[in-house]
Structure formats: C-alpha cells, structure tokens
Amino acid sequence: MDLILMGICLLAMTGVAAGGVAGIATGWVMPWARPRVLRPRLWGYGSLVTAAGGTVWAFLGPLAGPPHIPSAYVAWAGWILFMAGLLIQSRAQRPGRAPVDATKTSS
C-alpha cells in the first residue's frame, strides 16, 4: 500500500511541477485556474516551490515510516516550503503594482 501511495504522490507532485514549468516558460496556466491567475510566471514559480515542498514533506514525513528526529525536522521544513509555495500562488492571483507614471486622468 505504501508503494501505491508513493506512486500517487510522485505523480501528483510531478504534475504540479510540470504545470509550474509551463507557467514560467510559456505563461500557460491550467484551464480551471485561468480566470483567477493574473501573473502566470509567478504562479509557475509558486507551483515549483509547492511541488518541492510537498515532495520533501511526503517522502520524509508520513510515507517514510516511523519518525526519526532529523528527518522530522526536514519534513516540517518541507511543509513550510509547501505553504510558502501556496502563498506565492495566492499572490499571483492579485494584480501587481501600478506603473510609477500611471495617472488617473487622461491628460
């Protein structure tokens, strides 16, 4: 059963990382996220960070067996990295800063 869970986790994190690479390289975002994402490159970087953190957390945390103190710290660091990636992705859904020379009048 552990091998099946490892395979599913590896497949999911590979898909997230592939979506991140596509977002960085071409600006492509998954169809269900397109209406919300305003900055696709930032979304791609967030996806890569999320995939890296999720992989570290999953393979050194719950799928690694009984907890060992050094690997538990690394697993929690992976969880923090996963959350940081989600924060980056949420920032990609907000508009960026307005240009400095932007004005509200048409003059």
Side-chain angles (χ1 to χ4, degrees):
M1 185 66 173
D2 285 339
L3 290 177
I4 294 171
L5 290 175
M6 285 182 171
I8 291 171
C9 182
L10 186 63
L11 186 63
M13 290 300 126
T14 302
V16 170
V21 170
I24 293 169
T26 64
W28 183 84
V29 178
M30 275 64 113
W32 55 86
R34 278 187 200 140
R36 294 184 310 262
V37 175
L38 301 174
R39 295 182 277 177
R41 290 192 68 197
L42 185 61
W43 178 268
Y45 285 120
S47 293
L48 285 179
V49 172
T50 299
T55 302
V56 169
W57 176 77
F59 288 108
L60 294 179
L63 296 179
H68 299 96
I69 297 301
S71 66
Y73 289 129
V74 176
W76 278 109
W79 179 255
I80 292 169
L81 192 63
F82 179 80
M83 288 297 161
L86 292 178
L87 178 67
I88 293 170
Q89 286 181 325
S90 72
R91 296 308 228 169
Q93 296 178 4
R94 298 178 181 214
R97 293 185 178 185
V100 177
D101 58 348
T103 61
K104 293 185 180 185
T105 62
S106 61
S107 59

